Amino acid sequence: MIPLTRLAVSACLGLATSQLALFAAADMAPETTPGATIFTKDDFNQYAPRTALEMVSRIPGFSIQGDDDGSRGFGQASGNVLINGQRVSGKSNGATESLDRISASSIVRIELVDGASFEIPGLSGQVVNVVTNGDGAVSGTWRWRARFRDNLPPFYNGLNLTLSGGKGDISWSFEAKSDPERGASNGPEYVTDGAGALIQQREEDFTHAAEYVSVSGSVGWAPASGVVGNLNAKTTLYQPDNKETAKLFPVDGPEGRRLYQGAEDEVFVELGGDYEFALGPGRLKAIGLLRREDSPIVDRVFQSNLDGSDQFGSVFERDIEEGEYILRTEYSLGLDSGADWQVALEGAFNYLDQQSSLARSEGGGPLEPQTLPNANSRVEEQRGEVSVTHGRRLSPTVTAQVSLGAEISELSQSGDASNVRTFTRPKGFASLSWQVDPSLKLVTRLEREVGQLDFFDFVSSVNLSAGNGENGNPDIVPEQSWRLSAQAEKNYGGWGAATLEVFYSDIEDIVDRIPIGTGDGPGNLDSAWRLGAEWDATVKFDKIGFAGAELSFEGEYYESDVTDPLTGEVRPINDSSKYWMLAEMRQDIPRTDWAWGIGFERYERNPYYRLSETGQEGARPGFGFAYIEHKDIWGMTGQATFGNIANQNDMFRRQLYDTNRLGNVVRVEDRSRDFGPIFTIQLEGTF
């Protein structure tokens, strides 16, 4: 996992997952979609965008929702970005990565439109369709970034290079990226007993440094016959190193030292392709995917008093191999009446193979192997799915879609734990879209969902940094839920736009934390519910004389309930998000190349619950940032960003109990870490 970031590992699969077929496909680009709000390059001139991503990100009231890398197969369209009328389908590839590969100079127009206007089953609500010019000329973008912060050396190798072009029926794209990470925090931690008396004070210093590099290439074929094909490949290397040092000052006892180190050497490869052609009255599309990942991980912790007493150490090693193979076929048929049909078949094979070892030493002696049940195991899932989807325009302003489907899956585990189980699950949805007037649209959707399993829940692991672990559970089953949502999209013209979605989920077999043997780990609980609201709004201030200024605001808020399997009390879902918000004020100063902005981000999570402890992380008061930008530095755009201007602290508090949470609190650990100011410089351009 990558802490405190929202990163997608981009790879390419499916029509329009990158720039591969964008230009060739644009020769067949449709006329303007009826009912669409049209944006051209002129509408974004004040931002001097270099890529399609920078343009789409500035559409008022719109947030990009890519297809989830952790989703269960491909399934129905879940993103809200189209490129030349085609969905951005894929697993590791997301809409953000696809748009970032398209030069702004290639954009003809951007349409903001009801997804039901396209004959793409499963697509509903507010959708952006990016139409490119397809002239086949070679174009490229580049971006360079450097970052400086306390307690860590700076990096100067934040680089991104994209090239795309084509000739005749062939199109191609290439991307090389270096996206290093640097994180640091330090501060005191206080350990008290159940009565609040101080036991120990710790002075802690944490650093995170990681290198992330990727190379991808794609080739697309789109002849005049209407056949469309893509071949795509990507490889990434991710190497994080975490280190935490602590000075220990017990109230009664000698001073000590503690060192934690964690390192990973992850290699990821994805190969994908799709082929679509006319067959009878409709079109047949086949999509294939192969993904492999190898992740050797080593965690170490050592502790000792300064006088040499009470020495101990632990080393936990894991070699993790993951794989996914998918083959999907879709047959789509559009009728002159405005109705469309799709029949889809999908087969998938996923696996996780983990080999682990734990060793400990006491009193300065050698490391001795320890028994760790269910830590060496292979988990596999074979799954088949079928679905039939029908969409129809009920009136000039109302469109409906209905999908019915089912999946059958076999879960098997071998190694330290052996188990084979088979499940059949119904799936489907019904949605209704109503264009109330030209400025207001309402969308409602009822869906039966099947959750994606996390195969790491099946095998045991140890967290040396926190001094705990979890037991693997070979009996976990996929959770299911009914989800009802309603979305309102309002365009306020020159004042901006806003989108609000509210939802309620009734969940069966939710994966939460349960007692397992003498410990605990992931497991299924009978039921839970979750409700929430997500919104995106942009307010423009030109009408009140504040020319070029706008305020954008994104947010999420959630409530949830589940019955704790140990105490029987009702509590939130374990370690779930409670809220997140991001606000940004930006002004592009009229008749100049200058812009400035200021923003603020804040989040909060619900507590986590284990058998004998609870804990909660937080960040106060929040992350503030400010930037200045010049849009023509010898043809380049330059930006300087000052981060953490609100002096956010990362906080964590956990309570440990006698035996389990039914007993008394015996220890409390409370820490607050300051991670200091961050300064980032970025230059970008096109060629």
Side-chain angles (χ1 to χ4, degrees):
M1 298 294 293
I2 304 174
L4 302 179
T5 59
R6 295 184 172 190
L7 298 179
V9 181
S10 68
C12 309
L13 178 76
L15 194 62
T17 57
S18 66
Q19 292 182 355
L20 315 192
L22 297 182
F23 299 105
D27 292 335
M28 302 178 291
E31 298 296 326
T32 302
T33 306
T37 300
I38 303 300
F39 297 89
T40 66
K41 285 180 284 188
D42 291 342
D43 294 309
F44 303 97
N45 281 343
Q46 72 180 84
Y47 311 111
R50 306 286 179 170
T51 67
L53 175 62
E54 294 174 359
M55 297 169 71
V56 172
S57 298
R58 290 298 173 183
I59 294 177
F62 180 80
S63 293
I64 297 172
Q65 298 173 355
D67 292 304
D68 185 9
D69 183 31
S71 62
R72 194 164 176 80
F74 287 127
Q76 303 295 333
S78 59
N80 62 353
V81 173
L82 302 177
I83 301 177
N84 293 321
Q86 302 290 337
R87 62 180 286 194
V88 181
S89 60
K91 289 288 287 181
S92 296
N93 177 68
T96 299
E97 291 74 23
S98 297
L99 293 173
D100 203 28
R101 293 188 178 107
I102 305 174
S103 173
S105 62
S106 302
I107 304 300
V108 175
R109 66 180 183 272
I110 297 176
E111 303 176 340
L112 185 64
V113 64
D114 182 6
S117 301
F118 297 88
E119 295 177 357
I120 302 178
L123 196 65
S124 62
Q126 194 177 60
V127 171
V128 155
N129 180 36
V130 179
V131 181
T132 61
N133 57 28
D135 60 12
V138 175
S139 64
T141 66
W142 63 270
R143 186 181 302 120
W144 171 81
R145 182 168 55 96
R147 177 165 291 176
F148 308 84
R149 62 176 304 160
D150 286 348
N151 304 319
L152 278 173
F155 72 72
Y156 302 95
N157 60 324
L159 300 169
N160 181 266
L161 172 68
T162 69
L163 288 171
S164 61
K167 184 176 182 180
D169 300 337
I170 303 297
S171 59
W172 57 271
S173 76
F174 170 84
E175 180 182 38
K177 179 187 292 186
S178 172
D179 193 12
E181 302 168 14
R182 299 292 185 268
S185 61
N186 60 77
E189 179 170 345
Y190 300 96
V191 183
T192 59
D193 62 19
L198 184 66
I199 300 174
Q200 184 183 80
Q201 180 177 338
R202 304 169 179 171
E203 293 296 332
E204 298 176 329
D205 193 331
F206 172 80
T207 59
H208 166 79
E211 299 301 324
Y212 173 88
V213 295
S214 66
V215 177
S216 62
S218 308
V219 178
W221 181 47
S225 64
V227 170
V228 178
N230 292 283
L231 290 175
N232 320 284
K234 178 159 184 140
T235 182
T236 65
L237 177 65
Y238 179 59
Q239 297 177 315
D241 287 288
N242 297 318
K243 180 180 179 181
E244 182 181 271
T245 61
K247 298 178 180 179
L248 312 178
F249 303 98
V251 173
D252 296 312
E255 183 178 337
R257 296 291 186 269
R258 182 179 185 271
L259 170 66
Y260 164 78
Q261 293 176 301
E264 183 177 355
D265 193 6
E266 176 187 300
V267 178
F268 174 87
V269 176
E270 176 164 319
L271 301 174
D274 61 74
Y275 187 75
E276 182 180 355
F277 58 95
L279 180 64
R283 294 184 66 83
L284 181 66
K285 181 177 181 179
I287 307 172
L289 175 73
L290 181 155
R291 305 198 321 159
R292 295 288 301 272
E293 182 179 316
D294 185 19
S295 304
I297 302 172
V298 180
D299 291 339
R300 300 180 175 90
V301 63
F302 298 98
Q303 183 171 322
S304 173
N305 295 328
L306 291 183
D307 61 10
S309 62
D310 292 335
Q311 297 183 37
F312 71 85
S314 296
V315 177
F316 180 51
E317 298 185 67
R318 289 188 290 172
D319 191 355
I320 300 169
E321 292 185 6
E322 300 175 75
E324 181 173 30
Y325 306 86
I326 301 176
L327 179 62
R328 180 179 177 85
T329 59
E330 302 172 343
Y331 185 73
S332 302
L333 176 64
L335 304 178
D336 293 338
S337 62
D340 57 77
W341 291 85
Q342 184 192 80
V343 178
L345 298 173
E346 181 171 303
F349 172 71
N350 302 321
Y351 75 88
L352 167 71
D353 195 322
Q354 174 177 299
Q355 302 300 312
S356 306
S357 65
L358 176 66
R360 290 177 176 164
S361 68
E362 298 286 347
L367 289 166
E368 300 289 344
Q370 304 293 306
T371 301
L372 189 60
N374 197 20
N376 299 281
S377 190
R378 182 181 176 93
V379 183
E380 297 180 353
E381 181 184 30
Q382 300 180 67
R383 179 177 57 82
E385 176 183 318
V386 60
S387 64
V388 178
T389 305
H390 175 56
R392 179 176 294 275
R393 186 169 295 278
L394 304 180
S395 75
T397 60
V398 179
T399 305
Q401 284 192 358
V402 177
S403 179
L404 298 175
E407 71 167 51
I408 181 169
S409 64
E410 179 185 87
L411 280 169
S412 62
Q413 187 170 359
S414 58
D416 290 349
S418 298
N419 201 5
V420 178
R421 295 164 295 153
T422 302
F423 305 97
T424 301
R425 298 283 192 261
K427 304 172 73 172
F429 69 87
S431 67
L432 196 66
S433 176
W434 178 27
Q435 187 72 52
V436 180
D437 58 46
S439 67
L440 177 63
K441 182 182 299 176
L442 301 177
V443 181
T444 184
R445 183 180 177 107
L446 176 65
E447 186 166 8
R448 179 65 171 179
E449 301 177 321
V450 179
Q452 173 68 2
L453 289 167
D454 184 347
F455 286 176
F456 286 99
D457 292 343
F458 289 74
V459 294
S460 299
S461 63
V462 175
N463 186 335
L464 295 184
S465 177
N468 54 33
E470 65 180 38
N471 293 333
N473 185 353
D475 298 318
I476 293 178
V477 302
E479 64 184 40
Q480 305 172 85
S481 64
W482 285 103
R483 187 181 191 274
L484 177 63
S485 64
Q487 179 176 287
E489 305 159 11
K490 178 66 175 178
N491 187 336
Y492 294 97
W495 288 101
T499 300
L500 171 66
E501 181 182 45
V502 295
F503 73 88
Y504 174 83
S505 292
D506 185 64
I507 310 170
E508 305 168 25
D509 295 325
I510 184 172
V511 178
D512 204 279
R513 199 84 183 186
I514 67 171
I516 302 175
T518 58
D520 67 348
N524 294 105
L525 301 179
D526 289 340
S527 62
W529 60 259
R530 189 171 187 243
L531 61 83
E534 301 173 357
W535 57 91
D536 187 301
T538 302
V539 180
K540 294 181 175 289
F541 297 102
D542 297 82
K543 287 183 175 293
I544 60 173
F546 195 4
E550 63 183 35
L551 174 65
S552 59
F553 183 76
E554 297 178 65
E556 304 168 355
Y557 181 80
Y558 306 102
E559 291 284 351
S560 62
D561 266 0
V562 67
T563 301
D564 190 284
L566 178 66
T567 66
E569 298 176 348
V570 175
R571 59 164 172 80
I573 294 173
N574 205 328
D575 195 28
S576 57
S577 175
K578 187 172 184 179
Y579 70 82
W580 169 81
M581 58 81 66
L582 172 64
E584 179 189 355
M585 169 68 78
R586 175 185 172 106
Q587 185 192 20
D588 293 89
I589 302 173
R591 296 178 297 280
T592 76
D593 290 319
W594 289 96
W596 64 271
I598 187 168
F600 185 76
E601 182 179 22
R602 182 165 171 167
Y603 75 94
E604 184 174 337
R605 299 190 66 81
N606 288 307
Y608 72 79
Y609 301 86
R610 302 173 63 97
L611 179 66
S612 58
E613 69 177 83
T614 62
Q616 186 174 19
E617 65 174 274
R620 296 290 185 275
F623 187 83
F625 61 91
Y627 61 86
I628 55 174
E629 180 176 294
H630 195 283
K631 290 167 278 192
D632 189 8
I633 305 175
W634 297 292
M636 303 177 294
T637 297
Q639 187 181 92
T641 302
F642 303 85
N644 198 29
I645 59 177
N647 193 29
Q648 172 181 298
N649 283 346
D650 289 339
M651 296 178 289
F652 178 72
R653 177 184 173 90
R654 71 170 176 171
Q655 301 179 109
L656 293 95
Y657 296 78
D658 181 18
T659 306
N660 58 46
R661 286 185 285 111
L662 295 174
N664 296 320
V665 175
V666 295
R667 191 166 84 248
V668 176
E669 299 174 357
D670 198 348
R671 73 177 182 225
S672 178
R673 292 178 176 173
D674 179 8
F675 60 90
I678 303 170
F679 179 61
T680 304
I681 300 174
Q682 179 173 290
L683 291 173
E684 63 177 327
T686 58
F687 57 91

